[in-house]
Amino acid sequence: MNKLLERTGHVITGMGLVTFALLMILIGMMVISHGLFVRIFTDVLEPAHASAAAWALALGWEFTVLITTCNVRFVNRRLPLVLAICSGVIVLFFIHAFDTTQSTTDLLTRLLVGCLITTINYVYAELFYAKWTEHNQQVGYENQVKSLAQESDKRQTEIQVAKQELQSKKSEIEMLRKQVTELEQFKANEIRKLTCSCGKQFETVYKLTSHKASCPNRKTVSRNGQPVNFVP
Ligand SMILES: [Zn+2]
């Protein structure tokens, strides 16, 4: 039930119903314009020609109203109002609203109908333009959201690739760090091998050995197996 009401609400407030109502007004006004034009043209043209000319002009006039309404941003903003008033005047002439031989009631009724149609024309022209602008904005926003979502997906993929790359570099760094530690240990061992107990460091084992012979820190082994310093 709620869904039905929601859908009905969408139909009423949507672009479709406004367009439908505008087309109905357009068709009605086309018939009325044709009626007025044909009445005038019959005085100067053959009936068939008068009818053809009246249909062509009525069609042209009403489409001018419609196209101007839809493209009001390119023309003066008050033009739809002027066109609505013109449509109202056409209706007034068509229904003989200025014929003063009628009773006051008839005259007022006709004037009321003319004013009503003018108002409807103007309101719908404004409403159609506003809804059309809103519709275009909505489509624009939807496209923008789609575009941003695509951009976001692209960035997410890039971030994922960068994360994987970072992980790989971290592993490489860890491996290199281990190698450096091993090399440092190896270097320390080599230095220790080439260092005498007195603290002097030599470039080769040969030099170290020859130094040890005269090293003041030279150690000898006593009878009980304990090292003792050799004093020359
Ligand atoms: Zn030494």
Side-chain angles (χ1 to χ4, degrees), residues 135-145:
H135 175 73
N136 284 340
Q137 270 178 355
Q138 199 176 339
V139 170
Y141 289 146
E142 280 171 8
N143 288 338
Q144 219 170 332
V145 167

Side-chain angles (χ1 to χ4, degrees), residues 196-198 211 215-217:
C196 178
S197 57
C198 69
H211 159 77
C215 177
N217 252 11

Side-chain angles (χ1 to χ4, degrees), residues 11-148:
V11 170
I12 291 169
T13 55
M15 192 66 211
L17 195 65
V18 177
T19 310
F20 175 75
L22 189 73
L23 283 173
M24 289 297 106
I25 292 169
L26 199 77
I27 292 167
M29 281 304 300
M30 212 180 287
V31 174
I32 289 174
S33 303
H34 169 264
L36 181 67
F37 294 157
V38 83
R39 197 190 299 160
I40 297 161
F41 296 159
T42 313
D43 295 341
V44 287
L45 288 170
E46 292 294 319
H49 293 166
S51 180
W55 274 123
L57 280 174
L59 211 73
W61 162 247
E62 291 308 329
F63 272 97
T64 303
V65 174
L66 180 68
I67 292 164
T68 308
T69 304
C70 297
N71 296 287
V72 74
R73 63 186 182 279
F74 299 122
V75 294
N76 193 308
R77 194 70 189 85
R78 289 181 183 171
L79 199 56
L81 175 63
V82 174
L83 293 175
I85 291 170
C86 290
S87 294
V89 173
I90 287 174
V91 174
L92 287 174
F93 275 113
F94 179 71
I95 59 178
H96 303 284
F98 302 112
D99 184 1
T100 49
T101 57
Q102 305 169 84
S103 69
T104 313
T105 312
D106 282 351
L107 207 59
L108 284 176
T109 309
R110 281 171 165 72
L111 281 172
L112 180 70
V113 169
C115 290
L116 199 68
I117 290 175
T118 304
T119 310
I120 290 171
N121 269 334
Y122 182 66
V123 166
Y124 262 94
E126 287 287 308
L127 195 63
F128 181 80
Y129 176 69
K131 292 295 283 183
W132 185 244
T133 309
E134 186 196 37
H135 175 73
N136 284 340
Q137 270 178 355
Q138 199 176 339
V139 170
Y141 289 146
E142 280 171 8
N143 288 338
Q144 219 170 332
V145 167
K146 272 184 198 168
S147 166
L148 285 173

